Amino acid sequence: MNQPSRTLASTDMFRPPINRAMKSLDRAFFRKDVYLAAACVLDSKLIATYRNELHGDILKLERLTPIRPIPAGIPADRNTKCLLLKPDIQIEDRASWSPKLHNLVESQQVLLTPFHLQLDYNYWTYHDIISAILPEQDQNEIPVGFSVVGHVAHLNLRDRYLPYKTLIASVLIDKNPTIRTVINKIDDVGEENEFRTFRYEVLAGPDDMNVEVKEQDCLFNFDYSKVYWNTRLGTEHPRLVSKFKPGEAVCDVMAGVGPFALPAAKKKVWVWANDLNPESHRSLVANANRNKVAPFVRPFCEDGHSFIRSSSSRLLDSKRQITLRPKVSRTARTNENQKPFQQAPSEILKEPNVFSHYILNLPASALTFLPSFIGLYNGHDHLFHPSTGTKLPMIHVYCFSTKSDDNKIEEAKIREEVGRQLGYEFRGVEGAEMEIWDVRDVAPQKRMFCASFRLPAEVAFRDRMPRTVDS
């Protein structure tokens, strides 16, 4: 009958001390003395064996090894170790011993002894420390969700946690070795400008927003305060890039610093990458050079609406090509014992004259860019199927919508809005299919989606009309 209370008490033993009046972080406050029983293994060679045999008796806590040096005063070899035992095991209460522990003690293979375990601030996690500081009424939604961009942790604190923002940031830095700066967003992304940047305050660490991020085997350097980057798209970027084939041409209309463009270029995909933000454009150029993919990336800093049409027209006249020379290993060049090697011929890769894919990653408004595709290839139908083997391009447009369990309502709304913007009704017939991908949850009632569809011939070859659809 008493077992549940004993188990609860045992768990409480290892929790940090509580101080809900703490206003500035006092690391020295977080200390705790825990008194346990330990099994000293008299033959140091058997420590691993007895650890397995006493598996059910040993203390099991994350970040805490149960193997410890023997306490002072125990007559044993200096290499002798002891095993920390669960709090329920009491030296004076043999009824708390397991049969195996009882046998080992009786046969003098192990010796039970008191053990003084000292825990301090370094042992407990961020969640442990913050739970011991915040008021009890604020325990249900402890701030644990944050984005990490390089060395910067990006918080979006609710109002009720703002009085504790410095405490939260200090503990975050302590418990995450790669984080040097903690910021809190003080407006919505894009609230004050069209570049999707945001105002922020530094809560801890230096105001250094020049970060380095590695994704898809590419290194990205940028000033996080001046460009848009979303760490939570780390799985979406490779998902879409996996659809591009070497030698294809891709138009990235809102490219940012290149999270789609540079990994695609590494696959020998020709990428026309555009962003309206001059700072994003500068970072894109620098990152393309740093990752040695600049020959495959054409960077632009233009309005996305006009870029959709101008890039397609310019690509029609492109005669770019790249000579790919095979790599020869240093061993093959220098090994005198080898026969002269036959170098493989160079490969000439020519840029296509039409795009295979368009990316529109501006979910708040990307759907309003779709009218720019109306009449995109007017007068050029001879370039595509059935006149040639070339298909019309795939469009990948990101957007926000509501949330439901099966997304059926959202899919219908997105399909309808895409059709409205293009002046075309998607019926699911061949050539007009649309895949709507659930990218991620953005808010409790808001989701991000990616609608992918092949540009319908009826839209692509239509006469160009002035844009009249409301944004």
Side-chain angles (χ1 to χ4, degrees), residues 37-211:
C40 296
V41 180
L42 300 179
D43 185 345
S44 59
K45 296 178 181 179
L46 296 176
I47 187 72
T49 300
Y50 291 155
R51 181 178 183 177
N52 290 331
E53 293 185 6
L54 295 173
H55 178 76
D57 301 297
I58 291 176
L59 178 67
K60 298 179 183 67
L61 287 178
E62 292 183 0
R63 307 176 309 283
L64 191 71
T65 176
I67 301 177
R68 297 299 175 106
I70 59 172
I74 300 296
D77 183 86
R78 62 189 180 92
N79 294 322
T80 300
K81 303 291 184 182
C82 65
L83 298 169
L84 299 185
L85 303 177
K86 295 188 300 185
D88 292 344
I89 297 177
Q90 305 292 320
I91 296 177
E92 301 83 4
D93 182 10
R94 287 179 171 252
S96 66
W97 301 3
S98 69
K100 185 61 181 180
L101 178 60
H102 190 279
N103 291 338
L104 290 175
V105 172
E106 288 296 315
S107 62
Q108 298 185 351
Q109 299 299 306
V110 303
L111 172 68
L112 292 190
T113 182
F115 193 95
H116 179 197
L117 177 66
Q118 293 179 308
L119 302 177
D120 61 17
Y121 177 80
N122 293 323
Y123 167 70
W124 287 292
T125 66
Y126 163 81
H127 192 276
D128 293 334
I129 299 296
I130 295 300
S131 298
I133 295 173
L134 293 180
E136 290 187 15
Q137 65 268 23
D138 292 329
Q139 295 286 319
N140 290 336
E141 296 183 4
I142 290 176
V144 293
F146 56 91
S147 298
V148 177
V149 183
H151 64 272
V152 176
H154 175 188
L155 298 173
N156 187 13
L157 292 175
R158 297 177 184 269
D159 289 345
R160 66 174 177 271
Y161 295 114
L162 292 179
Y164 308 95
K165 61 186 181 182
T166 303
L167 271 172
I168 292 170
S170 298
V171 179
L172 265 182
I173 285 184
D174 287 345
K175 300 302 179 179
N176 296 272
T178 61
I179 293 175
R180 301 198 306 272
T181 299
V182 179
I183 64 172
N184 183 47
K185 185 174 67 173
I186 54 179
D187 63 16
D188 289 331
V189 172
E191 183 178 277
E192 295 188 354
N193 65 78
E194 58 189 332
F195 297 153
R196 293 187 285 178
T197 56
F198 56 90
R199 293 187 300 125
Y200 66 93
E201 59 178 337
V202 177
L203 303 183
D207 187 1
D208 176 14
M209 300 290 276
N210 290 296
V211 300

Side-chain angles (χ1 to χ4, degrees), residues 1-15 87-88 90:
M1 295 293 291
N2 294 329
Q3 188 62 34
S5 61
R6 285 185 64 180
T7 301
L8 181 60
S10 299
T11 303
D12 289 342
M13 289 174 63
F14 301 100
R15 290 176 179 168
D88 292 344
Q90 305 292 320

